[in-house]
Amino acid sequence: KNQVEQSPQSLIILEGKNCTLQCNYTVSPFSNLRWYKQDTGRGPVSLTIMTFSENTKSNGRYTATLDADTKQSSLHITASQLSDSASYICVVTTSGTYKYIFGTGTRLKVLA
Amino acid sequence: DAGVIQSPRHEVTEMGQEVTLRCKPISGHDYLFWYRQTMMRGLELLIYFNNNVPIDDSGMPEDRFSAKMPNASFSTLKIQPSEPRDSAVYFCASSLGTQYFGPGTRLLVL
């Protein structure tokens, strides 16, 4: 069964600290993996997209990694800011029929 | 570009009424997606179009839901008749690679 699991479910950190969010998937056949940031009351915003051959991609203070062998991805946030408080959603797309499998997200709260 | 435009932003209706949600994608984008988001189920893909043609509607919950894309600049998602369990935020997104989401329509069915 195609599934995407994210951990932790929620996370609280202090401003300026780093954090890492995890995404494990059992999706096949794999096409790509995306990380989205969703602020409260807004639509998700794409952070990164990685294909099978890519194992790291950065977008400012956000760095995503992908291990296609272990089917794991992580999103690392460096020097967190208050504006990083949001939900982070991992989405895996299958190849061929292009099914989108969503994780349930990690809610991050950055405190001053 | 103004981004993906959705209307209305909020909708409150009574059970049994027809609801029509509208979406204007970003000009030039060839994919359009409709999503539903609830606290319990998270974000769910309902249907997506490529060049105005529905590609995968397997996420549409039941026959009460229908979506159309009559041209490249407009799409609708219709619920008829609406039920309280349809209450959710409905997002439209368009894509030429990266998906760009609209602000969403918050639907409350009483």
Side-chain angles (χ1 to χ4, degrees):
Chain A
K1 182 181 178 183
N2 288 328
Q3 280 188 315
V4 175
E5 294 185 353
Q6 291 187 243
S7 61
Q9 199 169 33
S10 61
L11 182 62
I12 301 175
I13 61 173
L14 293 177
E15 186 179 16
K17 298 297 185 182
N18 303 336
C19 68
T20 300
L21 314 180
Q22 298 291 341
C23 174
N24 296 338
Y25 61 94
T26 56
V27 176
S28 182
F30 175 90
S31 176
N32 59 65
L33 184 147
R34 306 162 192 252
W35 282 95
Y36 288 91
K37 177 188 177 189
Q38 185 175 21
D39 293 315
T40 301
R42 294 179 175 268
V45 173
S46 179
L47 294 176
T48 63
I49 176 171
M50 289 183 291
T51 60
F52 186 88
S53 59
E54 297 173 297
N55 54 24
T56 187
K57 186 164 280 190
S58 292
N59 179 354
R61 294 179 298 101
Y62 301 100
T63 299
T65 64
L66 174 65
D67 186 332
D69 291 331
T70 62
K71 298 189 176 181
Q72 295 180 327
S73 176
S74 65
L75 180 69
H76 186 75
I77 304 175
T78 303
S80 60
Q81 301 177 357
L82 298 179
S83 59
D84 293 330
S85 295
S87 289
Y88 292 84
I89 303 169
C90 175
V91 185
V92 180
T93 306
T94 63
S95 60
T97 55
Y98 291 109
K99 295 291 184 183
Y100 293 79
I101 317 299
F102 292 83
T104 53
T106 293
R107 291 180 181 236
L108 174 65
K109 180 73 174 176
V110 180
L111 300 178
Chain B
D1 201 314
V4 175
I5 299 173
Q6 291 186 247
S7 65
R9 294 293 310 276
H10 299 87
E11 177 82 26
V12 181
T13 190
E14 291 186 343
M15 182 174 64
Q17 297 298 306
E18 177 179 294
V19 175
T20 299
L21 312 181
R22 297 172 175 79
C23 176
K24 177 177 167 51
I26 293 173
S27 177
H29 283 190
D30 57 355
Y31 281 87
L32 184 139
F33 305 80
W34 281 103
Y35 293 89
R36 178 172 68 177
Q37 187 173 40
T38 61
M39 288 292 293
M40 290 296 294
R41 300 171 68 92
L43 199 60
E44 302 173 280
L45 176 62
L46 301 176
I47 184 173
Y48 72 93
F49 297 82
N50 179 221
N51 292 322
N52 313 339
V53 176
I55 302 301
D56 185 355
D57 65 354
S58 60
M60 296 286 262
E62 47 199 274
D63 292 345
R64 297 185 298 106
F65 285 69
S66 63
K68 293 182 179 179
M69 192 165 186
N71 57 63
S73 59
F74 184 65
S75 177
T76 59
L77 178 68
K78 187 174 293 186
I79 308 172
Q80 166 63 16
S82 58
E83 296 182 3
R85 60 193 169 118
D86 301 331
S87 298
V89 181
Y90 291 81
F91 288 104
C92 175
S94 70
S95 166
L96 198 57
T98 298
Q99 288 189 32
Y100 291 86
F101 283 73
T105 294
R106 294 181 179 274
L107 173 65
L108 178 61
V109 183
L110 301 174

